[in-house]
Amino acid sequence: MLATIISTSGSTPAAAFSKMVVKDGGKSWLGTIGGGCMEGDVLQQAIRLYNADTAEIQTFHLNEDNLDQGLICGGSLDVLLEPIRREYIPLFRQMTSLRDEGNDCILLTMLDDAQRSKYKVVLELSPEDNQLENLNQLLQAKMPSLSSSASEVSGEMLTAYHRNEIRRLKSGRNELILEPSMGRPHLIIFGGGHVSKYVSRAASMAGFRISIIDDRKEYANPVRFPEASETLAVEFYEAFDRIAIKPSTYILIVTRGHRSDEDI
């Protein structure tokens, strides 16, 4: 079972997008949605819903009126609990691949009126899709059943994407949950000197995908930069034929000389 915080208001122990996977009948789990008795209650509900093979959105009010939940943060949150079916595995792998490559996407989950998860779809977003018309066409191609409400759904998708927040939308007897997933930031470092070594290490710990470029093999190699996803020992001007610049890309220029810095 997968638990996702899909909305929050006020002070909460974890933010929206926080996730927890419940495994082995509630005996083990990965991630967290805030801890405490509230999370323990979610574990119990996950077991119940797993046995019923259904999804459910649960609301928690973390205030003094609900002392039995063990958290008095003062806010409220909604948690989507849903079974992870085998057919979803390729979808999540697709999302992981898109994210790691620095590409943005949106996960659409449709729940029927009984809150059963009907299906999921991943829509990859490119800079050109940042327009309502393009999103309409993309949505109709992927989800023909939403043709009649494609314009409204596309508008909500655009809002979710720009605000980086999960949106909920009623579509007839169904409910759509729109969850944007932003591409992992990519840091390209020109220069493999001593400054780059520590910047690369810190940026990797902060979640960046790292590429190192230097025109000397002894300064651009996996041994010197084990955390980097790629190291290129090429002439600096040749590197631009080998790398992709995206909205999620950052470039740091710290070569051994100002002339190379200026050329790059």
Side-chain angles (χ1 to χ4, degrees), residues 103-104 124-131 134 161 245-247:
N103 298 317
D104 301 335
E124 181 181 357
L125 297 176
S126 64
E128 301 82 53
D129 294 327
N130 202 10
Q131 302 295 329
N134 293 330
Y161 181 54
I245 308 298
K246 301 178 180 179

Side-chain angles (χ1 to χ4, degrees), residues 115-131:
Q115 291 197 334
R116 293 186 180 274
S117 181
K118 294 182 68 173
Y119 54 80
K120 289 178 175 287
V121 173
V122 172
L123 298 180
E124 181 181 357
L125 297 176
S126 64
E128 301 82 53
D129 294 327
N130 202 10
Q131 302 295 329

Side-chain angles (χ1 to χ4, degrees), residues 43-155:
L43 285 171
Q44 294 299 317
Q45 297 300 323
I47 299 171
R48 174 181 64 82
L49 294 169
Y50 177 82
N51 293 330
D53 189 28
T54 190
E56 192 169 289
I57 297 174
Q58 298 187 342
T59 300
F60 294 89
H61 301 289
L62 310 178
N63 51 45
E64 294 184 1
D65 295 330
N66 292 277
L67 289 172
D68 57 321
Q69 292 181 356
L71 292 173
I72 318 176
C73 301
S76 300
L77 53 85
D78 292 330
V79 178
L80 170 64
L81 270 164
E82 57 181 327
I84 299 302
R85 300 188 174 91
R86 189 174 299 275
E87 59 264 30
Y88 294 161
I89 294 175
L91 179 144
F92 285 118
R93 286 177 175 160
Q94 178 190 4
M95 285 189 67
T96 301
S97 178
L98 288 171
R99 185 186 70 90
D100 289 347
E101 292 171 3
N103 298 317
D104 301 335
C105 64
I106 288 188
L107 174 66
L108 281 76
T109 300
M110 178 176 282
L111 303 178
D112 62 17
D113 52 357
Q115 291 197 334
R116 293 186 180 274
S117 181
K118 294 182 68 173
Y119 54 80
K120 289 178 175 287
V121 173
V122 172
L123 298 180
E124 181 181 357
L125 297 176
S126 64
E128 301 82 53
D129 294 327
N130 202 10
Q131 302 295 329
L132 196 58
E133 182 179 352
N134 293 330
L135 280 176
N136 273 335
Q137 296 174 356
L138 184 64
L139 184 63
Q140 290 179 29
K142 289 282 189 177
M143 302 178 74
S145 62
L146 291 177
S147 296
S148 60
S149 57
S151 180
E152 182 184 5
V153 175
S154 297

Side-chain angles (χ1 to χ4, degrees), residues 214-230:
D214 201 290
D215 56 358
R216 302 162 293 176
K217 290 184 179 180
E218 63 269 28
Y219 284 88
N221 59 74
V223 175
R224 183 172 174 82
F225 292 94
E227 70 281 352
S229 59
E230 65 177 345

